[in-house]
Amino acid sequence: MELVEKNNNDALGLYKELLKLHYTLQDWFADREIYHYLGYLFSQKKSDSKFSQLWKLWESSSNRQTFVRELLILIKRSLCVDSELVNFEDTEINWYKDQPKLLVHSLVFMDIIHSLKNNQAFLPHTAFIKQNNDIEHIFPQNPEDVDKKKEFIEFLNTNIVAKGKEFDLTKFDAKKDDPTYLTSVKNFIDENIKSYKINSIGNLVLLFASLNKSISNNSYSKKRASVIEYFHKGNFIQPHTFQVFVRYFNDKDNKNNDYEHWTNADISANAKFINDKIVNFFKSKAI
């Protein structure tokens, strides 16, 4: 209201300002680009993304195209590290622990790129924030809790480890407090996951929390089936998440159609897909 109260001594002037605000918001809501760009920026709650700042930007812009361009500049800035667009293929970035906010912004922006197509539905307002979503590791991460390591080893024994080389878990409960035994547990896990870029953005998606909890340590094939079933029941899945599970990232260099396993090659291919999609999007807009 502070934006329009400058005319608070003039009832007619205040009324006109309110009408202007009302019709502008309707206009923004109906515009595919502005709706998605503002939804993204508002979700960040930064000083340059507050409504008052963006309203001033709108009023100072010479035309709609200028306003849209300025929004994209702000969005690109939010995806930069040290003034450079982040390299989404960089395997040294631990997205899960070190860059969780940037991770969420990047995955949501992938959803926006998809939703800007005219044949796609607008993202619901809840899709711009993490709120009801967890960050899901497609290939499960090594849990820090000792009690959960047993379940993780069972996953490795079933899905990753060669036949005959499984870890013997029969004494796990009795020896889980033994430092020597825990060292053998650690060595087994490290050996079997060392090639997996578990915290790469290519291995991470946003997934509805209740669904994530029910499938978190399942094999890739079971996760994939659950996500697709959940979607076909009419539930919302973040577009990028769904695309990852149906392997939309496959290209001429990566045509792995193994729907049973999620490999390091898939993680790398997905990270490359994300990087190419975002870089090319800003190039296409000359940003």
Side-chain angles (χ1 to χ4, degrees), residues 15-36:
Y15 176 67
K16 288 180 177 179
E17 285 293 318
L18 287 172
L19 280 181
K20 177 182 175 182
L21 179 62
H22 171 72
Y23 289 125
T24 301
L25 291 178
Q26 283 189 322
D27 177 33
W28 287 356
F29 190 78
D31 185 294
R32 186 178 292 272
E33 280 193 296
I34 293 177
Y35 169 88
H36 285 98

Side-chain angles (χ1 to χ4, degrees), residues 1-23:
M1 287 299 296
E2 290 178 0
L3 295 173
V4 296
E5 284 179 348
K6 59 187 177 183
N7 293 308
N8 62 355
N9 292 323
D10 179 356
L12 180 58
L14 178 60
Y15 176 67
K16 288 180 177 179
E17 285 293 318
L18 287 172
L19 280 181
K20 177 182 175 182
L21 179 62
H22 171 72
Y23 289 125

Side-chain angles (χ1 to χ4, degrees), residues 179-192:
T180 303
Y181 183 76
L182 289 180
T183 297
S184 67
V185 167
K186 178 182 183 302
N187 292 340
F188 175 82
I189 292 174
D190 289 346
E191 179 63 27
N192 285 284

Side-chain angles (χ1 to χ4, degrees), residues 11-259:
L12 180 58
L14 178 60
Y15 176 67
K16 288 180 177 179
E17 285 293 318
L18 287 172
L19 280 181
K20 177 182 175 182
L21 179 62
H22 171 72
Y23 289 125
T24 301
L25 291 178
Q26 283 189 322
D27 177 33
W28 287 356
F29 190 78
D31 185 294
R32 186 178 292 272
E33 280 193 296
I34 293 177
Y35 169 88
H36 285 98
Y37 299 160
L38 287 177
Y40 174 93
L41 291 168
F42 288 150
S43 70
Q44 296 186 41
K45 298 180 180 178
K46 293 182 178 179
S47 58
D48 61 1
S49 298
K50 290 182 178 178
F51 181 84
S52 58
Q53 293 300 314
L54 295 174
W55 179 260
K56 290 176 183 176
L57 182 62
W58 167 261
E59 291 209 302
S60 65
S61 297
S62 57
N63 53 50
R64 180 182 294 265
Q65 288 71 31
T66 301
F67 179 64
V68 168
R69 178 177 173 77
E70 291 298 323
L71 295 181
L72 282 174
I73 289 173
L74 290 173
I75 290 172
K76 185 176 182 180
R77 189 182 301 161
S78 75
L79 297 173
C80 287
V81 174
D82 297 328
S83 301
E84 294 291 334
L85 190 64
V86 66
N87 179 5
F88 299 94
E89 295 183 80
D90 186 350
T91 59
E92 298 303 311
I93 299 176
N94 186 325
W95 287 88
Y96 185 74
K97 290 185 177 179
D98 299 336
Q99 295 286 1
K101 287 185 179 179
L102 181 57
L103 169 67
V104 172
H105 294 331
S106 302
L107 295 178
V108 168
F109 193 62
M110 286 294 292
D111 294 331
I112 289 172
I113 291 174
H114 173 79
S115 299
L116 289 175
K117 300 173 183 176
N118 287 326
N119 62 339
Q120 298 299 324
F122 284 30
L123 283 178
H125 68 91
T126 54
F128 294 99
I129 53 177
K130 183 175 176 289
Q131 193 175 10
N132 296 319
N133 289 310
D134 286 338
I135 298 172
E136 161 70 357
H137 288 77
I138 302 174
F139 185 96
Q141 66 174 330
N142 179 10
E144 295 182 7
D145 188 335
V146 172
D147 289 329
K148 292 182 179 179
K149 288 185 184 294
K150 181 179 180 181
E151 186 179 358
F152 186 66
I153 291 176
E154 288 173 344
F155 165 81
L156 295 177
N157 282 344
T158 304
N159 301 283
I160 304 299
V161 180
K163 203 71 174 174
K165 294 187 176 182
E166 298 91 344
F167 189 90
D168 183 2
L169 287 168
T170 55
K171 298 179 180 180
F172 186 92
D173 293 331
K175 301 184 73 173
K176 65 182 181 181
D177 295 322
D178 181 344
T180 303
Y181 183 76
L182 289 180
T183 297
S184 67
V185 167
K186 178 182 183 302
N187 292 340
F188 175 82
I189 292 174
D190 289 346
E191 179 63 27
N192 285 284
I193 68 171
K194 64 183 179 182
S195 68
Y196 282 84
K197 301 166 185 174
I198 292 177
N199 290 309
S200 161
I201 197 172
N203 190 49
L204 301 167
V205 292
L206 294 175
L207 197 60
F208 190 61
S210 61
L211 176 60
N212 181 40
K213 286 179 173 62
S214 69
I215 66 173
S216 59
N217 281 322
N218 285 352
S219 65
Y220 166 70
S221 60
K222 290 182 179 178
K223 286 184 179 181
R224 180 178 181 276
S226 296
V227 166
I228 293 174
E229 180 184 10
Y230 187 80
F231 176 79
H232 284 309
K233 285 182 177 179
N235 298 301
F236 176 76
I237 295 282
Q238 300 283 147
H240 174 68
T241 299
F242 186 78
Q243 289 181 333
V244 170
F245 277 101
V246 298
R247 295 179 178 270
Y248 193 74
F249 56 85
N250 276 349
D251 59 23
K252 60 182 178 61
D253 298 319
N254 183 68
K255 293 184 178 179
N256 181 8
N257 291 314
D258 180 358
Y259 295 121

